[in-house]
Amino acid sequence: MKKVYILLLMLLSLDAKYLDTKRCQECHEDIHYEHTHSMHHKSSLFKDEVHQKVKNAVNKEKYSCALCHMPGSSNLRALMKGEEQPDERDKRQLDGVSCYYCHQIKDVYHSKMYNINISSAKEGEKPTMYGNLMDPDDSDKHKAAPNDIYKNSKVCMGCHSHKENKLGFEVCRTQESQAPQSDCIKCHMPKADGGNEKFNKKGRSEYATHSFLGIHSPEMVKKAVKLELEYDKDESKLHLYITNMTGHYIITHPMRLKFVKTVIKRDGKVIWSNFKKSPLEDKEATFLIVLKDKDEKPTLPNRAVGYKINQNLAQKATKSVVYSVPKLKKGDEVISRWVSYIVNPKIAKKLGITTPEIINPIVGSEESLYIY
């Protein structure tokens, strides 16, 4: 741990002329628009209510989460140690995970507690922006160069690989041992027509979008799982199959709640449901993580020593759930819907989170079965 901390201090001391996200708009209009509407841009303490509420609940003085949420801060070490406090007047802090920050990462250092991005920025030098384009163009603001870590998603693993708390418990993990190099970029940065800059001097036909689609995107939530239904009329059993279509576990963050709501309708009225009030009534079709402290009580990640509840589904895995249901008749309809909460309603209530886009459910894929 001491070795990692020394390396961290060394890397955080590197600096160059900072290019705030606004300056990227001059040449990269479409990408700038996508990025400023993404959760990367909104990752800072001042733009993400969830992050703000969790941080204040964990530690109001020290801000260790700044390493990934406001990584471009010039006073990052002081923020993490609690020697200085976040300042919403600081452009580098407001930028969150900025264009400049991501594109000057030249490599990622793996450590047990969390990974560390290795910066190419050097004081007084014109910064080099890396990417996956061959023969990129330099500009008056920066140099440009290709880098293989932007082709295989390794660049994402500086922040999105894993996080171990000070008690030695891994509270979240995206990069799985059975899928050591999933292609994050292919799914979360899908290609779009056009070039990566407005003049498109190289005549490129497509570019990687920078909206960083994820759990906040209804489009991505709809793609997350595939639902299938079968009815065994002899046994009066309903079979639900839930397949995780992502490249990682269906729950990668302990704040989430995801489940399948299934109902049977007859003459337009619901005659059966897999749960009445809480999805936890049907644990087999509900996915969530609840962390526990040393006293076996539910807790926030910083005090976690293990799982109190760990109902998850591995990438590309299928789970089968079987229900005993009323005997179905001609004209009956079975409907299953995937429902995703960015923040579990119980956690949102406890932390006082009120942003509608955060606390409202997102309905994903849907499957229907008609009885003929």
Side-chain angles (χ1 to χ4, degrees):
M1 178 61 193
K2 184 177 180 181
K3 179 181 176 183
V4 172
Y5 192 67
I6 292 173
L7 175 63
L8 176 61
L9 296 184
M10 180 183 73
L11 295 176
L12 298 183
S13 68
L14 298 176
D15 196 12
K17 184 178 181 181
Y18 181 75
L19 301 177
D20 64 68
T21 298
K22 178 67 177 175
R23 299 184 68 184
C24 303
Q25 185 179 18
E26 180 181 336
C27 295
H28 307 279
E29 287 182 331
D30 291 342
I31 289 177
H32 175 268
Y33 176 84
E34 293 161 357
H35 181 269
T36 52
H37 288 76
S38 75
M39 287 309 299
H40 272 197
H41 184 67
K42 299 175 184 178
S43 68
S44 82
L45 199 62
F46 310 110
K47 295 181 180 179
D48 183 356
E49 184 193 12
V50 177
H51 179 52
Q52 182 186 79
K53 296 287 177 65
V54 172
K55 186 267 180 191
N56 289 336
V58 170
N59 193 319
K60 291 186 177 181
E61 299 302 321
K62 295 182 180 180
Y63 186 26
S64 60
C65 301
L67 181 63
C68 284
H69 281 266
M70 297 199 310
S73 303
S74 58
N75 60 339
L76 194 52
R77 280 183 292 170
L79 290 174
M80 294 175 69
K81 294 170 69 176
E83 297 171 350
E84 296 181 23
Q85 293 302 306
D87 183 358
E88 60 183 335
R89 297 168 298 179
D90 188 326
K91 283 186 178 181
R92 296 179 67 143
Q93 295 183 18
L94 281 173
D95 256 357
V97 182
S98 66
C99 308
Y100 170 85
Y101 180 77
C102 277
H103 284 281
Q104 54 76 51
I105 298 170
K106 67 178 181 181
D107 206 353
V108 176
Y109 175 84
H110 178 81
S111 75
K112 184 174 182 292
M113 289 191 71
Y114 49 78
N115 287 351
I116 299 170
N117 292 318
I118 299 177
S119 169
S120 67
K122 294 182 180 179
E123 188 174 358
E125 290 188 6
K126 189 176 183 179
T128 297
M129 300 288 101
Y130 293 109
N132 65 357
L133 294 176
M134 297 305 296
D135 191 25
D137 292 312
D138 292 349
S139 77
D140 61 324
K141 296 180 177 65
H142 62 79
K143 295 181 285 185
N147 187 321
D148 284 346
I149 69 170
Y150 292 78
K151 295 178 181 178
N152 62 13
S153 302
K154 182 180 177 181
V155 67
C156 307
M157 294 299 105
C159 289
H160 293 285
S161 174
H162 63 285
K163 170 67 175 176
E164 186 179 284
N165 64 17
K166 291 183 179 180
L167 299 174
F169 178 70
E170 194 173 77
V171 297
C172 59
R173 184 177 187 86
T174 300
Q175 183 169 318
E176 308 301 337
S177 58
Q178 61 266 47
Q181 200 57 70
S182 296
D183 192 352
C184 314
I185 290 174
K186 183 178 179 181
C187 284
H188 295 279
M189 300 178 67
K191 299 287 188 179
D193 293 338
N196 65 311
E197 44 88 20
K198 65 180 179 181
F199 299 111
N200 199 12
K201 290 175 285 188
K202 296 291 176 67
R204 303 185 194 278
S205 61
E206 61 181 13
Y207 72 99
T209 56
H210 284 61
S211 296
F212 304 105
L213 302 175
I215 193 171
H216 293 259
S217 164
E219 175 187 347
M220 289 295 280
V221 173
K222 288 182 184 297
K223 295 178 180 179
V225 301
K226 180 175 72 173
L227 303 177
E228 297 173 281
L229 290 167
E230 291 180 0
Y231 175 59
D232 183 343
K233 63 180 180 180
D234 295 329
E235 298 289 335
S236 196
K237 301 283 188 183
L238 180 66
H239 296 259
L240 168 66
Y241 301 96
I242 309 165
T243 302
N244 177 3
M245 303 299 290
T246 74
H248 48 72
Y249 273 96
I250 203 67
I251 298 287
T252 59
H253 194 292
M255 300 283 282
R256 315 297 189 218
L257 171 64
K258 304 177 183 183
F259 57 88
V260 179
K261 174 67 174 179
T262 301
V263 299
I264 298 175
K265 287 187 174 182
R266 179 174 294 164
D267 299 324
K269 297 181 180 179
V270 175
I271 64 166
W272 180 90
S273 175
N274 64 328
F275 65 86
K276 300 298 182 183
K277 294 182 179 180
S278 168
L280 285 173
E281 294 170 28
D282 181 6
K283 294 182 179 180
E284 294 301 308
T286 299
F287 304 91
L288 80 164
I289 289 172
V290 178
L291 305 177
K292 66 179 181 180
D293 63 15
K294 59 182 179 61
D295 297 318
E296 299 289 321
K297 296 179 180 179
T299 188
L300 290 169
N302 64 311
R303 292 187 289 271
V305 297
Y307 294 110
K308 192 171 184 67
I309 301 175
N310 185 10
Q311 295 169 197
N312 219 330
L313 185 63
Q315 59 271 36
K316 309 305 179 185
T318 298
K319 183 172 186 178
S320 173
V321 186
V322 183
Y323 302 104
S324 295
V325 297
K327 192 169 185 64
L328 300 186
K329 300 179 180 179
K330 182 178 179 180
D332 288 350
E333 181 183 11
V334 184
I335 304 171
S336 289
R337 292 189 179 96
W338 179 252
V339 181
S340 177
Y341 279 91
I342 296 169
V343 178
N344 186 323
K346 287 187 176 180
I347 298 175
K349 183 177 181 180
K350 184 175 182 178
L351 294 176
I353 296 169
T354 59
T355 303
E357 294 82 2
I358 298 296
I359 62 176
N360 292 334
I362 299 174
V363 178
S365 56
E366 179 178 314
E367 180 71 6
S368 296
L369 176 66
Y370 293 91
I371 306 301
Y372 294 99

